[in-house]
DNA sequence: TATTTTTGACCAGTC
DNA sequence: TGACTGGTCAAAAAT
């Protein structure tokens, strides 16, 4: 009887030790590895593009798990590589608390929303556009007489899938607030921003990346009408890069 | 009360 | 000419 009791205590004690070991391995080894497995900008699969029957442009997707890659072009082909935001958010919600969560994003105040690209916007319309899965929202810059507009498409859960900027601001960017302090370079004045990745870093040290494509490379007939200064700019879905 | 969002109507361009 | 589409307006509702 005593030996059974001893055996029970031995097993009971060791089970607790195993549980603690498992927890520590998960916290200090598995979770960091999960972070490392999130996408890097350099490792992408080769693409197979098929032209759109209506526009003649290309849209294809990277086969890599955490990557949404699309390619457009008629004679010129431009690629973009951005992370799959829903999957990233899912990964974040499953244990990477140090990154901006979707819920946090959804509960931004108006001031915080305005700081997403540094300007203040007022919505003036929404339409279902043929060929788009999600409705397109139309925004104007709230600065007096500013001609700048933007259109964006959101999924039903609020994820932005596409942003198109038209025109130029005729005023400096409003003072950024404490949350998004540095690095917020979206549609820069004068259009000198080159094609490529841009990023902003939040006040909490989190970095959001996205890719810029200038309208001028889009094939003729594309519906993103170019104004006389060729400043219509299409922005792709932003991605979140974990630290 | 002021500002923003929603949403149906309207308009212009295209086929 | 009429249908269709995308962009904008504007009144009502929401914040
Ligand atoms: Zn403006």
């Amino acid at each position: 009887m005593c030996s059974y009791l001893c055996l029970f205590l031995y097993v009971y004690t060791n089970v607790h030790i195993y549980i603690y070991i498992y927890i520590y391995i998960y916290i200090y080894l598995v979770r960091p590895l999960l972070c490392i497995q999130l996408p890097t900008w350099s490792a992408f699969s080769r693409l197979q593009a098929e032209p759109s029957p209506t526009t003649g442009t290309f849209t294809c997707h990277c086969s890599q798990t955490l990557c949404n890659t699309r390619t457009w072009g008629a004679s010129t082909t431009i690629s973009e590589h951005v992370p799959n935001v829903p999957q990233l958010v899912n990964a974040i919600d499953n244990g990477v608390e140090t990154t901006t969560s979707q819920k946090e994003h959804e509960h931004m105040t108006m001031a915080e929303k305005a700081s997403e690209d540094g300007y203040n916007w007022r919505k003036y319309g929404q339409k279902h556009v043929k060929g788009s899965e999600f409705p397109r929202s139309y925004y104007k810059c709230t600065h007096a007489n500013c001609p700048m507009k933007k259109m964006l498409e959101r999924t039903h859960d609020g994820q932005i899938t596409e942003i198109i900027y038209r025109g130029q601001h005729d005023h400096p960017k409003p003072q950024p607030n404490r949350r998004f302090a540095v690095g917020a370079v979206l549609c820069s004045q004068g259009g000198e921003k080159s094609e490529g990745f841009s990023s902003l870093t939040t006040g909490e040290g989190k970095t959001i990346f996205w890719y810029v494509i200038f309208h001028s490379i889009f094939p003729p007939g594309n519906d993103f009408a170019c104004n006389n200064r060729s400043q219509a700019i299409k922005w792709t879905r932003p991605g979140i890069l974990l630290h």
Side-chain angles (χ1 to χ4, degrees):
Chain A
M1 183 60 194
C2 181
S3 61
Y4 281 117
L5 186 61
C6 288
L7 180 64
F8 173 77
L9 288 173
Y10 175 79
V11 171
Y12 181 80
T13 307
N14 278 280
V15 164
H16 272 75
I17 290 172
Y18 290 140
I19 290 173
Y20 283 126
I21 290 172
Y22 175 81
I23 290 172
Y24 277 97
I25 287 175
Y26 176 76
I27 291 174
Y28 293 107
L29 195 64
V30 175
R31 273 177 40 174
L33 281 175
L34 282 176
C35 292
I36 292 169
Q37 284 171 356
L38 289 167
T40 59
W41 301 121
S42 55
F44 294 105
S45 307
R46 192 171 179 79
L47 301 167
Q48 293 294 324
E50 292 182 7
S52 160
T54 53
T55 65
T57 61
F58 293 98
T59 298
C60 59
H61 295 271
C62 178
S63 58
Q64 185 144 322
T65 308
L66 286 173
C67 178
N68 274 344
T69 297
R70 287 184 289 172
T71 303
W72 291 284
S75 57
T76 305
T77 300
I78 303 295
S79 299
E80 54 155 339
H81 295 284
V82 294
N84 184 318
V85 172
Q87 289 186 34
L88 275 176
V89 169
N90 189 41
I92 290 161
D93 288 345
N94 285 326
V96 190
E97 301 90 341
T98 55
T99 307
T100 306
S101 72
Q102 188 178 11
K103 284 188 175 62
E104 183 182 357
H105 184 81
E106 286 170 357
H107 290 120
M108 281 179 175
T109 64
M110 282 305 300
E112 288 166 339
K113 283 181 182 175
S115 292
E116 283 180 280
D117 62 6
Y119 293 93
N120 302 309
W121 302 93
R122 178 165 50 250
K123 187 176 181 178
Y124 66 91
Q126 178 170 308
K127 272 280 185 183
H128 264 103
V129 177
K130 192 179 182 182
S132 291
E133 186 178 356
F134 305 110
R136 174 177 295 176
S137 298
Y138 300 86
Y139 293 84
K140 287 176 181 174
C141 178
T142 57
H143 191 272
N145 300 320
C146 176
M148 188 67 180
K149 293 176 183 177
K150 73 174 179 181
M151 297 170 276
L152 62 84
E153 292 177 20
R154 289 183 190 273
T155 63
H156 300 305
D157 60 356
Q159 297 279 330
I160 297 173
T161 59
E162 193 169 282
I163 306 177
I164 300 165
Y165 288 89
R166 275 187 183 173
Q168 277 189 297
H169 294 282
D170 59 1
H171 56 91
K173 187 183 294 186
Q175 196 73 10
N177 64 22
R178 55 173 176 79
R179 188 182 187 88
F180 293 89
V182 293
V185 258
L186 267 173
C187 184
S188 57
Q189 293 286 322
E192 66 276 11
K193 184 88 183 72
S194 62
E195 182 182 324
F197 279 109
S198 292
S199 67
L200 66 81
T201 302
T202 70
E204 298 155 358
K206 300 158 189 171
T207 304
I208 298 173
F209 280 85
W210 60 90
Y211 198 89
V212 187
I213 296 177
F214 281 88
H215 179 271
S216 55
I217 61 94
F218 278 71
N222 192 295
D223 193 45
F224 308 135
C226 196
N227 66 17
N228 58 352
R229 298 189 65 172
S230 299
Q231 289 300 312
I233 297 175
K234 179 177 181 177
W235 299 81
T236 66
R237 171 188 287 188
I240 302 167
L241 182 65
L242 302 179
H243 278 266

